[in-house]
Amino acid sequence: MKNRSERRPRVLYLAFYFPPSRASGVYRARATANHLVEKGWDVTVCAAPLDFLYNVIGSVDEELSKTVDPRIRVERPSLNQYTWQQDLREYSWLRRSFPLMAKRVYMFSQTKLFPERYSSWAWASVTRALKLHAKERFDVVVATGNPFASFGAAWLFNKLTGVPYVMDYRDSWTLDLFHDEPAFPEGHIAWSWEKRMLGKASAAVFVNEALRAWHAERYPEVADRMMVVPNGWDADVLPKAVEKAAGTAPALEAAASEAPVLEVAAAGTGEGAAAEAAPAPAASSEAAPAPAAGERRAPLKFTYLGTLTAKQPVEEMAEAFKIARRHPDLADAELQIHGHLGFFKNSPGTLKARLGLQDGPSPEGVEDTGLRYCGPVSKTEVGKVYEEADVLVFLAGGGKYVTSGKIFEYMAFGHPIVSVHQPGIAAQDVLDGYPLWFNANSLDVEELAASMVAAGKAARDLTPEQRAAARRHADTYTREATLIPFERRLREIVSDS
């Protein structure tokens, strides 16, 4: 066996949601694995079993798998699908023969061992990792949550082997991000598990300062090992853009046809780094000519790109836009929604109802809200969707601890961005300094509507210089830039172990 100094450092990455999954946060996992490989690491990923992704939750994007570096080894340990099984033919022998006993065994594992239904995957990952470790030693483990059983797997693997581990809080486990309160009652075993896992971790990573500070206050004894690694925009999946006047369609460069789909998730996520980060989408030196005097411009196009979820203030967005369209500057404007409606099979119907969308034309006499659901976006169309937008709508759920991965891609294109979310969320720290940000700082529909009108006016008057300034702000959030300190910290951990 080679000495550590004679081989690439080896990392075990515990990331349940990894391509072809399109779940929240998959872009962070994809980007981290790709970045580490490019920086000279030997990367092995333990991810969800494919039958679970395809047959149980039905949430996949096969095109996303093509963006994973082929040097990455992906293992898919098993998962006990007890809580997801609805077909009697899929039940185990124990569950078919002794259903009450099977239920007691499962509930015991949840209440006394580890309180998450993904825990069987975590223990299977440890078993798989031990076999791989016996052949060639891992130098460090990175576990990303959710699911947070990955943290338990990292802790157990460390207990058995001594290999150091890092906990990457893509989301929070014990803090309810949508209500800004503890997710579990005092005395719940989740608290003791979190304290135990953080106590042995070499580092704990959070997507924003608000989350880091909350955990540092609760666990001050390990606060010095906590750091922030924000999400970012993935230069390898964003094509170059060309300048256009508001209300006109640009000609996209050929690079757009090579861009993989961007399924940007709701909380925390999002959201890979290429071998070397490409430059931010670059504008041409001159804007498209404005229409001649008296010529009517095309209606403005407001765009939401991402996965719509039940946690977002969709009703407020829809009502505010309906009000905004009554303003002369937004006459006939559209709000186009691109992406999936929810993460699960039964989500679309519920979300369409909340948006006031229906199949077929609106009944006569009913006001047109301007909302248009355009469906999921293929990899060849992502750049076109971003570039043909005049204003991007940043719709986010949750409270002050939420960043949302989509905001980084939004900024990269240099369009006006209008916020639709609770005031004070962590994403505002990212947007602070972005020159084309329009924030009502409220979910009052009248105030949101006024913000939308102001963003629309800005889009009409947008200059190449303003757009370039917006992109310069986005440059600080390329995935390459955000992951460099994290990779450096991993090397320090390995060298100190």
Side-chain angles (χ1 to χ4, degrees):
M1 182 178 293
K2 293 181 179 179
N3 294 325
R4 183 185 294 169
S5 60
E6 298 174 340
R7 61 175 175 83
R8 293 183 297 163
R10 193 162 186 242
V11 58
L12 172 64
Y13 191 25
L14 299 171
F16 184 86
Y17 291 115
F18 197 75
S21 168
R22 65 172 185 87
S24 173
V26 72
Y27 274 86
R28 184 176 177 93
R30 181 199 79 108
T32 300
N34 280 350
H35 182 81
L36 292 177
V37 161
E38 190 55 39
K39 294 300 181 182
W41 290 75
D42 181 336
V43 180
T44 297
V45 177
C46 280
L50 290 176
D51 70 305
F52 176 77
L53 298 179
Y54 281 91
N55 302 327
V56 178
I57 62 175
S59 178
V60 295
D61 176 6
E62 294 181 352
E63 294 296 324
L64 194 58
S65 294
K66 298 177 182 178
T67 69
V68 176
D69 193 300
R71 293 171 290 182
I72 295 170
R73 176 173 180 168
V74 180
E75 299 284 331
R76 298 191 177 274
S78 62
L79 169 70
N80 179 357
Q81 298 177 14
Y82 181 93
T83 59
W84 293 278
Q85 289 173 337
Q86 297 180 344
D87 188 334
L88 293 175
R89 293 169 296 183
E90 297 175 352
Y91 284 10
S92 66
W93 173 86
L94 177 64
R95 191 175 185 182
R96 290 195 309 269
S97 305
F98 305 99
L100 292 179
M101 180 183 295
K103 183 177 181 179
R104 290 192 191 101
V105 170
Y106 178 78
M107 294 306 300
F108 177 84
S109 72
Q110 296 295 292
T111 58
K112 303 298 182 182
L113 299 181
F114 196 92
E116 194 177 58
R117 57 182 179 171
Y118 301 92
S119 58
S120 63
W121 169 85
W123 313 141
S125 295
V126 172
T127 301
R128 183 79 58 91
L130 287 171
K131 294 177 181 178
L132 297 172
H133 185 67
K135 296 178 180 178
E136 187 174 0
R137 175 182 172 82
F138 288 108
D139 298 304
V140 67
V141 177
V142 177
T144 186
N146 63 19
F148 302 99
S150 63
F151 295 168
W155 172 86
L156 180 58
F157 190 74
N158 167 265
K159 190 174 181 67
L160 296 172
T161 65
V163 174
Y165 65 94
V166 174
M167 296 163 60
D168 175 26
Y169 280 86
R170 189 179 70 250
D171 291 313
S172 176
W173 186 28
T174 54
L175 171 65
D176 183 336
L177 298 179
F178 296 98
H179 298 97
D180 296 349
E181 61 186 22
F184 301 98
E186 291 298 327
H188 193 279
I189 63 169
W191 297 110
S192 57
W193 261 112
E194 185 165 58
K195 183 176 183 179
R196 181 183 302 129
M197 296 182 300
L198 282 170
K200 292 296 183 180
S202 296
V205 175
F206 302 89
V207 296
N208 58 53
E209 174 56 27
L211 278 174
R212 189 210 64 80
W214 187 89
H215 287 83
E217 182 178 357
R218 187 160 190 109
Y219 304 103
E221 65 278 7
V222 294
D224 61 330
R225 285 179 260 154
M226 297 179 178
M227 65 183 292
V228 174
V229 178
N231 286 312
W233 60 274
D234 301 296
D236 66 325
V237 298
L238 289 179
K240 291 184 179 180
V242 295
E243 201 64 54
K244 73 181 184 75
T248 65
L252 284 175
E253 297 189 14
S257 65
E258 300 300 323
V261 65
L262 271 179
E263 279 305 332
V264 193
T269 185
E271 2 117 329
E276 291 191 18
S284 63
S285 58
E286 295 184 2
E295 181 180 342
R296 186 176 184 275
R297 282 179 168 174
L300 287 168
K301 186 181 295 184
F302 286 64
T303 298
Y304 173 84
L305 175 61
T307 299
L308 211 67
T309 76
K311 298 292 187 180
Q312 295 165 321
V314 294
E315 290 94 346
E316 289 87 344
M317 177 186 70
E319 181 63 22
F321 191 71
K322 182 171 72 172
I323 296 170
R325 288 181 89 240
R326 297 168 187 162
H327 191 283
D329 289 334
L330 266 64
D332 298 325
E334 292 185 352
L335 198 172
Q336 297 186 351
I337 298 170
H338 298 265
H340 291 274
L341 297 180
F343 293 108
F344 305 102
K345 296 176 181 178
N346 62 346
S347 301
T350 301
L351 286 165
K352 278 188 176 181
R354 289 181 60 188
L355 285 164
L357 294 172
Q358 58 184 19
D359 297 327
S362 300
E364 186 176 349
V366 175
E367 180 181 5
D368 181 7
T369 64
L371 267 66
R372 309 285 185 264
Y373 176 56
C374 304
V377 184
S378 73
K379 73 171 186 176
T380 59
E381 297 297 315
V382 167
K384 184 178 180 181
V385 168
Y386 270 126
E387 260 313 301
E388 290 189 350
D390 297 311
V391 177
L392 295 171
V393 178
F394 175 47
L395 176 71
K400 66 180 181 179
Y401 299 101
V402 173
T403 299
S404 180
K406 73 172 69 66
I407 195 56
F408 301 97
E409 282 87 3
Y410 275 28
M411 293 191 304
F413 269 80
H415 290 306
I417 296 173
V418 61
S419 278
V420 181
H421 51 69
Q422 290 281 1
I425 70 172
Q428 294 185 198
D429 295 336
V430 176
L431 282 162
D432 187 29
Y434 184 79
L436 298 172
W437 178 34
F438 294 84
N439 180 27
N441 208 34
S442 168
L443 281 177
D444 177 83
V445 293
E446 295 287 347
E447 294 182 25
L448 286 172
S451 186
M452 290 175 175
V453 171
K457 290 180 178 180
R460 291 287 195 204
D461 300 330
L462 190 62
T463 67
E465 292 76 19
Q466 288 175 309
R467 202 169 179 196
R471 288 187 179 123
R472 283 195 294 273
H473 179 81
D475 283 347
T476 60
Y477 291 101
T478 63
R479 192 78 73 169
E480 175 81 5
T482 62
L483 285 173
I484 285 173
F486 178 64
E487 193 269 342
R488 187 183 303 127
R489 181 72 184 104
L490 288 183
R491 289 189 181 274
E492 292 171 356
I493 292 170
V494 171
S495 65
D496 293 342
S497 63

